Amino acid sequence: MKQRTNQEISFRFPKGFWWGSATSATQIEGAAKEGGKGPNIWDYWYEKEPNRFFNGVGPEVTSDFYHRYKEDIALMKEVGHNSFRFSISWSRLIPDGVGEVNQEAVKFYHDVITELLIHDIEPFVNLFHFDMPLAMQKIGGWENRNVVDAYVRYAKICFELFGDRVKKWFTHNEPIVPVEGGYLYDFHYPNVVDFQRAVQVAYHTIIAHAKAVQTFKQMNIQDGKIGIILNLTPSYPRSAHPADVRAAHIADLFFNRSFLDPAVTGEYPQDLVELLREHGHLPVTEEEDKELIKQNTIDLLGINYYQPRRVKAKEHLPNPEAPFMPERFFDYYVMPGRKMNPYRGWEIYEKGIYDILINIKENYNNIECFISENGMGVEGEERFRDENGVIQDDYRIEFIREHLKWVHKAIEEGVNVKGYHLWTFMDNWSWTNAYKNRYGLVAVDLEQNEKRTIKKSGYWFKALSENNGF
Ligand code: BG6
C-alpha cells in the first residue's frame, strides 16, 4: 500500500505513536514440554480435561513461536510494528516457580528481545498472563502469600536479566480474569466457585503487583517504566433510574475499580470496601499492605478494550442457596439494536474506548496510557481467502478504524494516550476457545504446517503505521 500525502490523512496520530500488537507466552510459544519449561495450569488442565478445549486442541504447540520467532518478528516488521508486547512464561523461566533459573529460557527470551531490537521494534514485556506455574498452583496459587513472594523474586530476576534492553514492563495482564475464570465462573483452572476465595486471590494479586513495582523502582532501571494491563470494560446502566445506575456502579467497582484504583491511585474505592465489609467478604490483609499499595502506583497504564458491560437492576431476589456472586447486585442487560461480533458473542461498541479514556483523564490524573489490546475474533476466516491466498478481512479493518476514530478524538481532547496495540499479531491459541476465533493480522494455517500469510488487515495496518494515521 502506498504512502499517503498529508491531505489524504483524516486521522493523524501524534509523532512516535506506538503501533503494534500484544500476545502472551502460552498463546503462541508452544514447546510446552521443551526447553526445560515446567508445566503451568494450562498444560495440566488440558491433560486432565481436554474436552474443555475447542476441538480438543491444547497448549502444547500453539503457533510455535518458540521455534519460529525469527520469521515472526520479520513479519511483524512487514505489518508495521514499532512495538510489540509479549509475556515471559514464569514456568519456562523458573520451572517450579521458586528454584533454579532455566538457562535455555534465558537464552530464548534474550534472543527474542535481540531480534525485536534488530527490527526496531520496542519490546513491551508482561510478567503474568493467566499462566500460573503448576507447582505454585499446587500450593494455592494467589491464595497463598508465599506465591506472592515467589512472583516478586521472579519479577526481580526478569528485571535483572532483561532490564537493560526492555524499558516497558507490566506486572499483570487483565488480573481480574484469573479471578473470574478460576474462582467464580469456571473458565480457568482451578475451577473454583467461591466469592471469598476470589476476593483473596484478587487482593494478593494486587499485593504481588505493588511489590513488583516497588522492586522495580528500587532497581532504578534507566528510562524504565512499569505498569499494569487492565481490561477496563465500561459499565453502562440500562437507564437513568437510580436502581440501574447503582447496579452499574457496583459492576464497575467489582470488575474495573478493584484493580484500577489501587494500581493508579494507591487506594481501594471506599464503597467497594464497605460493600465487601457489609457482606462479610473482606480479604485477609497485613498491616503494612496499605502503605505498600499507596507508595507503589504505576507509571503507565495499558488498557484492553473489547466490549462494554451493560447492566440493569436485578429483576428477582437472589436465590439464597446459590453461591454468592457479583451478580447478586445486578443483571446483565441486552441493549436492543446492539451491534455484535457473533463469533465471540461480544457486543461491538466503539465509543466505549473513548469513554474509558475520558474517565482516565478526568478521574485518574490523566496518567500516561495506551490501548494495549483491542481486536476482533472471527471463526472460519479461511473462507475469506482470495485467489492469491490473502484473507480479505475487511471487517477487521473496519473494527480497528472505527475504534481508532474514537481514540483520535480522545487525544484531541487531551487524553495522554501513547499508542494502539491490536490483539493480535498472528492467529493464536485462545485458551479454552483454542483456535476457534482468529484475531491475527497474519493467518496461521493449522492444516499447512502453520504456514503464515499476511491478511488484508496486515497490509492495511502497515500503511496505518507508516502514515501514522488513516
Ligand atoms: C484478552 C486476553 O482477554 O482477550 C487475551 O488478554 C485473549 O489473552 C483476548 O486471548 C481475546 O479473548 P479470547 O477469549 O477470545 O481469546
Side-chain angles (χ1 to χ4, degrees):
M1 245 167 252
K2 71 175 172 69
Q3 197 98 353
R4 291 180 174 230
T5 60
N6 276 352
Q7 292 79 356
E8 288 174 296
I9 305 277
S10 317
F11 298 89
R12 180 175 298 286
F13 286 80
K15 205 166 165 265
F17 206 66
W18 308 328
W19 297 110
S21 66
T23 189
S24 84
T26 311
Q27 296 182 267
I28 59 165
E29 281 181 8
K33 293 181 183 154
E34 279 176 63
K37 179 179 162 294
N40 65 28
I41 54 172
W42 294 95
D43 303 311
Y44 178 72
W45 188 25
Y46 176 68
E47 226 172 86
K48 259 185 49 174
E49 290 190 279
N51 52 301
R52 296 287 299 258
F53 295 79
F54 185 77
N55 280 347
V57 174
E60 357 43 325
V61 181
T62 65
S63 301
D64 200 25
F65 182 74
Y66 189 77
H67 297 111
R68 297 170 77 155
Y69 67 91
K70 285 198 177 173
E71 174 193 350
D72 289 337
I73 292 170
L75 277 168
M76 276 173 212
K77 193 70 202 171
E78 273 192 53
V79 296
H81 281 45
N82 61 24
S83 45
F84 174 60
R85 170 169 61 104
F86 63 97
S87 73
I88 292 178
S89 156
W90 182 359
S91 64
R92 185 178 294 288
L93 194 72
I94 307 174
D96 65 357
V98 287
E100 295 260 305
V101 174
N102 168 17
Q103 293 307 321
E104 280 183 76
V106 174
K107 179 172 173 350
F108 169 65
Y109 292 117
H110 260 308
D111 290 349
V112 167
I113 293 164
T114 303
E115 202 62 24
L116 287 167
L117 293 174
I118 288 173
H119 286 84
D120 258 325
I121 300 173
E122 183 177 358
F124 288 27
V125 174
N126 171 37
L127 295 171
F128 191 87
H129 198 126
F130 309 170
D131 53 352
M132 184 62 81
L134 184 61
M136 296 291 90
Q137 190 62 49
K138 280 197 169 150
I139 58 168
W142 294 121
E143 283 183 84
N144 179 349
R145 235 176 134 121
N146 293 334
V147 171
V148 172
D149 296 337
Y151 166 84
V152 177
R153 171 179 176 265
Y154 153 65
K156 183 159 192 260
I157 290 170
C158 291
F159 303 148
E160 282 166 356
L161 284 168
F162 311 116
D164 56 339
R165 297 189 301 156
V166 174
K167 300 300 173 189
K168 306 238 175 19
W169 289 91
F170 301 92
T171 56
H172 296 273
N173 174 80
E174 301 191 349
I176 192 77
V177 171
V179 177
E180 296 171 344
Y183 295 86
L184 291 172
Y185 308 122
D186 185 32
F187 62 89
H188 281 196
Y189 190 77
N191 312 93
V192 168
V193 177
D194 187 320
F195 189 83
Q196 183 62 36
R197 291 172 68 183
V199 169
Q200 195 65 50
V201 164
Y203 182 73
H204 281 165
T205 308
I206 273 291
I207 297 299
H209 158 81
K211 287 191 171 195
V213 171
Q214 182 182 48
T215 305
F216 186 84
K217 297 205 163 154
Q218 283 163 354
M219 289 173 66
N220 237 329
I221 294 180
Q222 207 190 346
D223 302 326
K225 289 190 178 179
I226 190 154
I228 193 166
I229 307 279
L230 300 178
N231 48 324
L232 296 179
T233 312
S235 294
Y236 297 106
R238 165 182 58 183
S239 75
H241 189 285
D244 285 342
V245 172
R246 173 147 175 83
H249 175 66
I250 293 178
D252 190 40
L253 288 175
F254 279 135
F255 297 113
N256 297 322
R257 296 187 56 196
S258 54
F259 283 94
L260 178 62
D261 284 40
V264 178
T265 71
E267 275 174 32
Y268 278 101
Q270 206 41 47
D271 38 358
L272 175 60
V273 176
E274 286 315 320
L275 191 71
L276 293 178
R277 194 192 315 280
E278 191 188 322
H279 293 273
H281 284 303
L282 282 173
V284 177
T285 63
E286 289 183 10
E287 221 184 291
E288 62 279 10
D289 291 353
K290 223 176 167 176
E291 200 51 27
L292 173 85
I293 297 170
K294 179 101 218 146
Q295 294 305 326
N296 293 289
T297 55
I298 55 169
D299 308 319
L300 172 63
L301 175 68
I303 297 166
N304 293 356
Y305 175 66
Y306 290 89
Q307 56 164 343
R309 173 180 271 107
R310 298 193 188 274
V311 299
K312 60 184 181 183
K314 280 203 80 68
E315 300 285 351
H316 306 286
L317 285 174
N319 169 7
E321 308 281 318
F324 188 97
M325 286 286 189
E327 290 75 8
R328 180 160 294 239
F329 302 99
F330 55 84
D331 280 344
Y332 287 106
Y333 167 61
V334 175
M335 185 183 74
R338 67 186 183 160
K339 179 160 75 174
M340 287 296 288
N341 168 0
Y343 311 101
R344 190 60 181 83
W346 286 347
E347 182 181 343
I348 298 175
Y349 181 64
E350 297 89 346
K351 180 174 175 284
I353 208 164
Y354 167 83
D355 291 339
I356 296 171
L357 291 169
I358 295 298
N359 180 37
I360 295 300
K361 178 183 160 200
E362 288 176 354
N363 300 310
Y364 295 88
N365 209 16
N366 205 13
I367 186 173
E368 181 175 61
C369 65
F370 73 114
I371 302 303
S372 42
E373 283 182 32
N374 176 229
M376 189 182 182
V378 172
E379 194 170 354
E381 282 198 318
E382 285 300 323
R383 70 186 186 278
F384 302 122
R385 268 197 207 270
D386 67 8
E387 61 285 2
N388 302 315
V390 177
I391 291 177
Q392 299 293 313
D393 55 345
D394 295 87
Y395 44 81
R396 180 165 293 108
I397 297 172
E398 183 188 323
F399 181 98
I400 301 170
R401 198 193 305 124
E402 294 309 308
H403 282 85
L404 279 175
K405 285 181 186 170
W406 286 105
V407 174
H408 190 267
K409 181 170 159 62
I411 293 172
E412 284 183 328
E413 292 174 24
V415 178
N416 195 8
V417 54
K418 294 294 173 61
Y420 177 89
H421 280 181
L422 185 75
W423 187 270
T424 179
F425 158 67
M426 65 176 159
D427 294 341
N428 68 20
W429 187 76
S430 276
W431 314 109
T432 55
N433 275 331
Y435 279 87
K436 175 178 174 289
N437 303 312
R438 306 303 179 91
Y439 284 88
L441 295 171
V442 172
V444 174
D445 191 340
L446 298 183
E447 307 296 312
Q448 293 208 46
N449 194 27
E450 308 221 329
K451 183 166 172 247
R452 278 76 161 136
T453 44
I454 299 178
K455 301 179 192 174
K456 183 174 180 183
S457 60
Y459 295 107
W460 183 83
F461 202 86
K462 179 183 171 59
L464 168 71
S465 162
E466 280 176 357
N467 295 316
N468 204 27
F470 60 97

